[in-house]
Amino acid sequence: MGKRLQSKILIFALITNVFTVFSYQIENTANIVNNDNIVSNVIHPKLILTAQGVEDIREQLGSIPIFDKTLAKVKAEVDAEITAGIEVPIPKDYSGGYTHVRHKQNWVILQKAGVLYQLLDDEKYAKYVKDMLMQYEAIYKTLPVHPKTRSYARGKLFWQCLNDSNWLVYVSQAYDCIYNYLTKAERTRLETNLFRPFADFISIENPQFYNRVHNHSTWGNAAVGMIGLVMDDDELIQRALYGIPGADLDRNAKDDDGGYINKDGKAGFLANIEEPFSPDGYYNEGPYYQRYAMYPFLIFAEALHHVKPELGIFNYKGGVLLKSINALLNLSDADGDFFPLNDGQKGMSYYTSALVTAVDISYHFGGQNPELLSIAKEQDRVLLDDSGLAVALGIKNGFQEPFNKKSINLSDGPDGTQGGVSILRTEDLELAFKYAAQGSSHGHYDKLSFSLYEKGEEVIQDYGLARFVNIEQKGGGNYLKENKTWAKQTIAHNTVTQNETSHFTGKYDIGSLHHSDLHYFSSENKNVQVVSAIEENAYPGTTMLRTMAIIKDADFEKPYMLDIMKITSNKANQYDLPFYFLGQVLQTNFEYKTPQTLKPLGTENGYQHLFVEGIASGNNDNSKLSWLNDNKFYTLTSVTRANDELLFTRIGANDPDFNLRREPAILMRRKNSKQTTFVSTIEAHGSYSPVTESAVNSNSSIKAVKILLDTDDYTVIAITSVKDNTKLFITANRDAMQSTVHKLVVDQKEFTWEGSFVLIENK
Amino acid sequence: MGKRLQSKILIFALITNVFTVFSYQIENTANIVNNDNIVSNVIHPKLILTAQGVEDIREQLGSIPIFDKTLAKVKAEVDAEITAGIEVPIPKDYSGGYTHVRHKQNWVILQKAGVLYQLLDDEKYAKYVKDMLMQYEAIYKTLPVHPKTRSYARGKLFWQCLNDSNWLVYVSQAYDCIYNYLTKAERTRLETNLFRPFADFISIENPQFYNRVHNHSTWGNAAVGMIGLVMDDDELIQRALYGIPGADLDRNAKDDDGGYINKDGKAGFLANIEEPFSPDGYYNEGPYYQRYAMYPFLIFAEALHHVKPELGIFNYKGGVLLKSINALLNLSDADGDFFPLNDGQKGMSYYTSALVTAVDISYHFGGQNPELLSIAKEQDRVLLDDSGLAVALGIKNGFQEPFNKKSINLSDGPDGTQGGVSILRTEDLELAFKYAAQGSSHGHYDKLSFSLYEKGEEVIQDYGLARFVNIEQKGGGNYLKENKTWAKQTIAHNTVTQNETSHFTGKYDIGSLHHSDLHYFSSENKNVQVVSAIEENAYPGTTMLRTMAIIKDADFEKPYMLDIMKITSNKANQYDLPFYFLGQVLQTNFEYKTPQTLKPLGTENGYQHLFVEGIASGNNDNSKLSWLNDNKFYTLTSVTRANDELLFTRIGANDPDFNLRREPAILMRRKNSKQTTFVSTIEAHGSYSPVTESAVNSNSSIKAVKILLDTDDYTVIAITSVKDNTKLFITANRDAMQSTVHKLVVDQKEFTWEGSFVLIENK
């Protein structure tokens, strides 16, 4: 049926008010008479579901198991809500409180009910959506801003515009789904009293929230753009893509998290793609926030792809949106939990619903990579749209392949020139090394920090954020003050703190001007994978070059980690390097004293939160610490001197609300040094079974670690196993070229190699 | 074939030295000429495997999956050891050290190789066993006692006779399996130089180890008895069953653990059944040590059943050995982990190999309870003998039924009159309540203590023991000094400490004279299950009556626990009642202060190991603490007064070797009280998901808990839910008869009920 004929039938139908439809396609086609009296044809749904997609899905229903299962679950959920009845309370609470939870639940159910109406063709769902939307419409116009005052941008339904934007992103989809179910008068009522004022409120009335480059704004942009696409409101669409025309914000204003609102004046959805994503797809705030931001990025992109294909949104900036999904999936441990870089809450994983969107969209629009199907299968649900159908068919046809995470180096910064993040993987060991830029307002002061995992369990932890997201009892579910006083501070991380002061003196203004730089990254040789990066700005006058390797050696049961932190300063300083091991101390090869009373290590910069549980002087060769965690053994072997202090610390001092986890670290303190190099290995070895009560390989396989040579050009570390084999790890501290041939005499032996590093037997 | 004919053939074979055998049964029949020249017929194997059993098993091999799988695994293990070669090092190390681990591995492999020889009829296994036994034979006679001196009964192969006995229990089986493979000369050599001296060493030469009632002695008795059965040495068999004739030990001597060696002069295997097991099958040291002792009890019983059926060992003392298996299986949480009563190491479960023995023997000799098959299936292996065959056939035939753990009350003491242990179970909640006797040298001073579990995870923990079993780095894998200074002390447990002194002033001599007494136990009504017990000797002049209930109420999401600790003393005391909750403090309804420096709570009796992390005064009605653990919410609601002190404590003070886990408690301190009652509820509620970041039902459902009445006769607790419904829990403090009809006026209302307690609506 041609469009002209469709139009004629529909005009006839409208005129006679006998809206009898003949086919699905007709049912989903409406004639909108614009204010300016131009008649245009708009097919609904068009935003996420499409008319064609709905037809395809209906045809396949019952024969696509994962899709059918998801649909059945969604139906059960929505049916239960319909039975329970609609509740649209007057907003009152913070996150976790009743009204917050209820409105959040409403957006979820509205979106799902809209989808059910389309896929199941059952009017009860459309009616439910309509009825609830009308209740929102009834209260919205007279609703004051939310009574809770903590946010820099208070919403109306929620305490922050961010959550209002979440609501609109979902509800736009619901509206699109029942668009044709509504009369024109109903649509006009909703658009005039609810949607348009809603979109204006979160944008024009809150430019400090909307008109910036930030994950909050991405939600705002997507919300405005999606309702704009449904309403065919070009002003809103333009505002979504490019920001508020002529908005002029105070460039020095800051948000609740201490980040600049809009320092450089950029805004809009495209700028939000441009800025935070590196060409490799790394998102500058880290994976936890990328996961959060992913949904509006992708769902709005999908909508734009459907309604404005001419924009080519999935090819924008070299296809970075799809690349970013790959980056995100690789920024997770063996269990699929994202590495908690910056303000990341532990336990968030690619099983979260936002990642269902990411995986399905990536599969459908990004070349149908069969490895994604195995994640989709584990997620055990799909999007109820075209992309979900594609995934369901892929799984049904058995196309999936294992998702094989490899070592990866991801650049940071809009142009990929602001440092980055590396993940080294060998067997069960994963090393996450961060040499990135500040990471926006959610960034931590942790240049050249790392965390280490075995089989998805933390060996050396990154603390993550100090927040219990959505747990009302803990500060309303929001950031706790300890996030600033502890979690963001340098001493909370596995990197060097100079003179008990955080990197960039803990100042966002300074930190956000700088980034570390990659020296080199190499993962070609699976047995010796190395990343090396340099930081020159965290402490003016001090340079830190950290080289970390994961080495697989026949003398060792499992791969081990080598860590070389080379510090050069123009003055003498105190350097503190902690390792936040998890578990129970088993043994040390050094004497230590445990104080009778526990006192804080310091008074500020995070030091006030550390109790000192043990004090020692380093051995004059190696200091060793073994511990037991989760029935596995670990050993840290460090090159130390007698005037090094070794401190056992535990988090939890000055923590009046028990907001911090009581977890240990061993901290190496070297005083009064201009130039120095910290060298350590960490071995994972053996296991213990409480059922058989047998301890296997509970001792370190390292006899000695030595620094044989340490110059501006080279550092040479000798690692001797208990089997008395010695390997030299040599890293070039200046020339990182892969092609350079180096020649070096160590201990009267000459070594020659090509490239930035070498692991070589010392016979 | 008659026995006479067999004998003739064999005599012929022996004479002609042409040992050609015609059938399996003949192969397994040997003629032994005793020293006194009497010829007796003895069929081997006979101890655990039997000649008939071997025939049956061989017939079924290949068609009994779980048996076949176990056999294949054992074969792979033994084959690998055979390839690696035999090592019989000169003994040198403590547990966890090389020689210890090697000799332990040897006993395991010897036993398995013997079985393989029988089942697979492959001589390489017999040869391996023979060769290794000959190496032991070569060193044994000249071997001095073990060089490590820590034990009260040093072994020869190991640092303690206990491990030597372990060795012999296993190796007797190996010897039995290859008995007929050996020439008489070889047998004589082994028996004369190895087995008989070995048996004498662990018994006659170490009566302080052998001649007592203790799990160590049970191993010793079984070792001597089993080798005696194989060798047909009646002296050893009698010594095993009844102890060393005429042995006279110092009745006041003590072992390494502080337990009396032999206060009452009882000894031998039968006494070891008689004494420690109650008629219900509870083992006085608790499930962890029962599990350890179970293997020698059952394996020697099986051997006696085979060789000396006239003893009727499985019917001894009312069939207590088989009953004890049922008790043991029920003394585990939802994951099968044993409750760590007394010196129990956490994580030990019924998946341990000793419990494979227990389950298979219980099934085979104890009426083929189909519920046992489901545990056997989870254990995923069986004994390679008749009982394992029975289990394998049961599983193959699909007979298994779910193992349904119910609430259970187990008496303690040889006559069942020395208190006991109760487990209350409702839905996912399990309460383990201990009102037992001292529990031998492994007992803790924890009268009326409890621990609480949800879905097999600890909610309120019992600390367990202070030991890292077989982890050499931690005190050689043995008991740490903190086991005595911390783990055994009363303050380490969820019960009342009076005047900062442990029960019985922490003296074993006093503690072992006494036990608590059951007041009543009721689990008939699944919605209100109660146990109540009284302790009158822990503190002379003070009586403690603790009544604990698990209540399922429609106003609550999950069942909750009610705890009433009623104390009556003849003088004013200070009472401390801690709850060792696990997890992170979420919220309190009382103000507390956290000290800047952490100091120990006291100087002795375990108090020296607790840091004080927070200090508060109780509210004048209820004090509430909510916490989050493993993504679940919990709330403690206690009836308090303003002069109660509430202390947040953390284990770890005065712990110079980091031997203790840094875990929290809330401690209620009531000073200067003669009579007082502590009343608390603990609710498990809701959950948190770090993936969806949603908190469900994170608040307590209790509005108020009140003591309405508290007399010598009755205690009445009112529990009001947030839905404003009030229930009264009334317990009779004196009359525990089920048949008594009580009448009580509370708040001018009259209540009438039958039995020791009632939960009743207060309208």
Side-chain angles (χ1 to χ4, degrees), chain B residues 21-29 43-46 49-56 58 117-121 177 180:
Chain B
V21 288
F22 305 106
S23 75
Y24 175 74
Q25 204 164 359
I26 293 173
E27 189 182 301
N28 280 273
T29 308
I43 296 174
H44 290 267
K46 61 176 183 177
L49 279 173
T50 61
Q52 182 62 47
V54 169
E55 252 188 304
D56 295 344
R58 284 190 186 182
Y117 169 59
Q118 286 295 336
L119 301 190
L120 301 179
D121 197 15
C177 283
N180 290 333

Side-chain angles (χ1 to χ4, degrees), chain A residues 519-520 532 545 547 564 566-568 675-677 679 706-718 728-737 739-746 750-758:
Chain A
H519 183 48
Y520 64 85
S532 181
L545 174 67
T547 305
I564 307 168
K566 183 177 174 62
I567 306 171
T568 314
Q675 301 203 180
T676 191
T677 301
V679 175
K706 281 184 192 159
I707 303 174
L708 290 195
L709 184 145
D710 192 22
T711 66
D712 289 350
D713 290 321
Y714 300 103
T715 300
V716 181
I717 308 300
L728 302 187
F729 180 86
I730 309 180
T731 179
N733 294 328
R734 289 197 181 178
D735 182 349
M737 297 279 286
S739 55
T740 305
V741 175
H742 298 269
K743 194 181 284 186
L744 184 64
V745 175
V746 185
E750 186 180 283
F751 296 94
T752 307
W753 75 97
E754 194 178 315
S756 39
F757 72 94
V758 70

Side-chain angles (χ1 to χ4, degrees), chain A residues 354-626:
Chain A
L355 267 284
V356 175
T357 308
V359 167
D360 291 5
I361 287 179
S362 178
Y363 180 77
H364 188 50
F365 298 104
Q368 313 227 330
N369 173 4
E371 292 191 7
L372 292 170
L373 295 177
S374 68
I375 295 183
K377 211 176 165 187
E378 286 177 86
Q379 288 171 334
D380 202 26
R381 59 197 195 279
V382 292
L383 290 183
L384 294 176
D385 66 4
D386 307 14
S387 61
L389 176 64
V391 168
L393 288 170
I395 291 174
K396 183 189 172 187
N397 295 323
F399 294 160
Q400 70 265 20
E401 290 173 15
F403 189 74
N404 190 4
K405 284 184 217 166
K406 296 172 202 76
S407 295
I408 192 169
N409 185 46
L410 298 166
S411 65
D412 190 11
D415 305 318
T417 56
Q418 300 181 10
V421 169
S422 291
I423 315 296
L424 298 184
R425 295 183 161 102
T426 308
E427 295 178 4
D428 292 330
L429 226 56
E430 292 176 305
L431 170 73
F433 179 63
K434 184 171 173 240
Y435 62 97
Q438 181 62 29
S440 181
S441 61
H442 291 299
H444 287 193
Y445 300 95
D446 63 344
K447 297 292 155 192
L448 308 185
S449 180
F450 81 101
S451 54
L452 185 68
Y453 291 74
E454 184 178 17
K455 279 194 185 171
E457 298 303 313
E458 294 170 308
V459 176
I460 302 293
Q461 73 157 332
D462 188 282
Y463 189 87
L465 85 187
R467 178 183 180 186
F468 294 75
V469 182
N470 293 330
I471 297 183
E472 205 189 2
Q473 291 93 330
K474 284 291 195 194
N478 300 304
Y479 282 100
L480 299 165
K481 64 181 185 305
E482 288 79 9
N483 197 57
K484 196 174 174 187
T485 62
W486 166 251
K488 286 192 167 192
Q489 300 296 327
T490 305
I491 195 62
H493 299 85
N494 304 298
T495 187
V496 163
T497 298
Q498 177 178 299
N499 301 331
E500 302 189 32
T501 307
S502 286
H503 296 166
F504 310 110
T505 60
K507 293 211 170 70
Y508 178 72
D509 310 21
I510 306 173
S512 54
L513 296 174
H514 301 289
H515 55 82
S516 308
D517 284 298
L518 183 66
H519 183 48
Y520 64 85
F521 171 87
S522 173
S523 64
E524 295 81 45
N525 177 354
K526 294 285 152 238
N527 292 329
V528 193
Q529 300 186 47
V530 193
V531 59
S532 181
I534 191 163
E535 170 56 45
E536 301 184 289
N537 301 293
Y539 299 112
T542 300
T543 297
M544 299 187 281
L545 174 67
R546 191 170 206 172
T547 305
M548 305 196 81
I550 299 276
I551 296 169
K552 174 76 190 153
D553 186 299
D555 279 5
F556 294 75
E557 177 198 357
K558 305 179 185 179
Y560 69 91
M561 190 195 89
L562 171 63
D563 174 25
I564 307 168
M565 173 66 101
K566 183 177 174 62
I567 306 171
T568 314
S569 184
N570 56 12
K571 61 181 177 60
N573 300 295
Q574 171 186 297
Y575 303 110
D576 287 343
L577 175 58
F579 291 95
Y580 285 89
F581 70 96
L582 286 171
Q584 182 113 19
V585 172
L586 270 194
Q587 203 177 32
T588 63
N589 74 342
F590 53 88
E591 299 279 319
Y592 57 88
K593 289 205 172 134
T594 54
Q596 178 79 2
T597 63
L598 302 191
K599 292 180 188 144
L601 178 57
T603 57
E604 55 180 359
N605 304 324
Y607 282 73
Q608 73 276 24
H609 291 299
L610 287 173
F611 280 120
V612 178
E613 285 194 331
I615 302 160
S617 294
N619 290 335
N620 242 332
D621 42 11
N622 287 166
S623 296
K624 286 179 94 94
L625 164 67
S626 293

Side-chain angles (χ1 to χ4, degrees), chain B residues 548-560:
Chain B
M548 305 196 79
I550 299 275
I551 297 169
K552 174 75 189 153
D553 185 299
D555 279 4
F556 293 74
E557 177 198 356
K558 306 180 186 179
Y560 68 91

Side-chain angles (χ1 to χ4, degrees), chain A residues 195-467:
Chain A
F195 293 131
R196 178 72 201 219
F198 199 115
D200 288 343
F201 179 76
I202 59 173
S203 56
I204 291 170
E205 294 177 49
N206 282 283
Q208 80 285 12
F209 158 77
Y210 185 85
N211 230 46
R212 58 191 294 217
V213 170
H214 192 280
N215 72 67
H216 288 187
S217 313
T218 303
W219 278 99
N221 303 155
V224 168
M226 287 173 77
I227 198 66
L229 289 173
V230 183
M231 291 163 59
D232 204 13
D233 183 328
D234 201 53
E235 189 186 349
L236 292 183
I237 297 168
Q238 294 306 312
R239 194 191 294 164
L241 292 173
Y242 305 105
I244 304 166
D248 197 14
L249 295 174
D250 173 2
R251 298 202 170 188
N252 289 315
K254 290 185 180 178
D255 67 10
D256 303 336
D257 302 322
Y260 281 106
I261 296 286
N262 196 338
K263 206 172 165 62
D264 55 10
K266 291 179 182 170
F269 188 68
L270 297 178
N272 265 302
I273 297 176
E274 201 61 61
E275 286 294 305
F277 289 107
S278 80
D280 292 336
Y282 178 75
Y283 183 74
N284 71 343
E285 297 185 355
Y288 177 77
Y289 273 90
Q290 180 178 355
R291 169 276 326 174
Y292 186 65
M294 225 49 221
Y295 185 77
F297 274 119
L298 294 176
I299 208 75
F300 186 33
E302 188 177 5
L304 285 168
H305 179 82
H306 286 147
V307 187
K308 300 249 166 219
E310 66 277 14
L311 261 178
I313 191 70
F314 283 122
N315 294 321
Y316 191 78
K317 195 182 172 180
V320 76
L321 282 179
L322 297 175
K323 276 186 192 165
S324 76
I325 299 173
N326 181 56
L328 182 55
L329 293 174
N330 274 288
L331 286 171
S332 67
D333 66 23
D335 299 328
D337 290 359
F338 298 121
F339 298 119
L341 306 178
N342 299 325
D343 283 341
Q345 176 161 277
K346 291 179 183 178
M348 179 55 72
S349 79
Y350 55 51
Y351 301 113
T352 189
S353 61
L355 267 284
V356 175
T357 308
V359 167
D360 291 5
I361 287 179
S362 178
Y363 180 77
H364 188 50
F365 298 104
Q368 313 227 330
N369 173 4
E371 292 191 7
L372 292 170
L373 295 177
S374 68
I375 295 183
K377 211 176 165 187
E378 286 177 86
Q379 288 171 334
D380 202 26
R381 59 197 195 279
V382 292
L383 290 183
L384 294 176
D385 66 4
D386 307 14
S387 61
L389 176 64
V391 168
L393 288 170
I395 291 174
K396 183 189 172 187
N397 295 323
F399 294 160
Q400 70 265 20
E401 290 173 15
F403 189 74
N404 190 4
K405 284 184 217 166
K406 296 172 202 76
S407 295
I408 192 169
N409 185 46
L410 298 166
S411 65
D412 190 11
D415 305 318
T417 56
Q418 300 181 10
V421 169
S422 291
I423 315 296
L424 298 184
R425 295 183 161 102
T426 308
E427 295 178 4
D428 292 330
L429 226 56
E430 292 176 305
L431 170 73
F433 179 63
K434 184 171 173 240
Y435 62 97
Q438 181 62 29
S440 181
S441 61
H442 291 299
H444 287 193
Y445 300 95
D446 63 344
K447 297 292 155 192
L448 308 185
S449 180
F450 81 101
S451 54
L452 185 68
Y453 291 74
E454 184 178 17
K455 279 194 185 171
E457 298 303 313
E458 294 170 308
V459 176
I460 302 293
Q461 73 157 332
D462 188 282
Y463 189 87
L465 85 187
R467 178 183 180 186

Side-chain angles (χ1 to χ4, degrees), chain A residues 104 288 291 345-349 351-353 468-474 584-587 592 594-600 611 613-614 628 633 648 650 653-662 688 690-695 698-699, chain B residues 104 288 291 345-349 351-353 468-474 584-587 592 594-600 611 613-614 628 633 648 650 653-662 688 690-695 698-699:
Chain A
K104 187 172 169 181
Y288 177 77
R291 169 276 326 174
Q345 176 161 277
K346 291 179 183 178
M348 179 55 72
S349 79
Y351 301 113
T352 189
S353 61
F468 294 75
V469 182
N470 293 330
I471 297 183
E472 205 189 2
Q473 291 93 330
K474 284 291 195 194
Q584 182 113 19
V585 172
L586 270 194
Q587 203 177 32
Y592 57 88
T594 54
Q596 178 79 2
T597 63
L598 302 191
K599 292 180 188 144
F611 280 120
E613 285 194 331
L628 177 68
F633 297 99
F648 284 100
R650 191 168 299 269
N654 286 292
D655 178 22
D657 301 317
F658 291 103
N659 285 339
L660 299 175
R661 304 189 304 268
R662 280 9 187 198
Y688 180 72
V691 173
T692 63
E693 297 191 328
S694 61
S698 66
N699 290 303
Chain B
K104 185 172 172 182
Y288 176 77
R291 169 274 327 172
Q345 177 162 275
K346 291 179 183 178
M348 179 55 73
S349 79
Y351 301 113
T352 189
S353 60
F468 295 76
V469 182
N470 293 331
I471 298 183
E472 206 189 1
Q473 292 92 333
K474 285 291 196 193
Q584 181 112 21
V585 171
L586 269 194
Q587 204 176 30
Y592 57 87
T594 54
Q596 179 77 4
T597 62
L598 302 191
K599 292 180 187 141
F611 280 121
E613 283 193 330
L628 177 68
F633 297 99
F648 285 101
R650 191 168 300 269
N654 286 293
D655 178 22
D657 300 318
F658 291 103
N659 284 340
L660 298 175
R661 305 188 303 268
R662 284 358 191 205
Y688 180 71
V691 173
T692 64
E693 298 191 328
S694 60
S698 66
N699 289 304

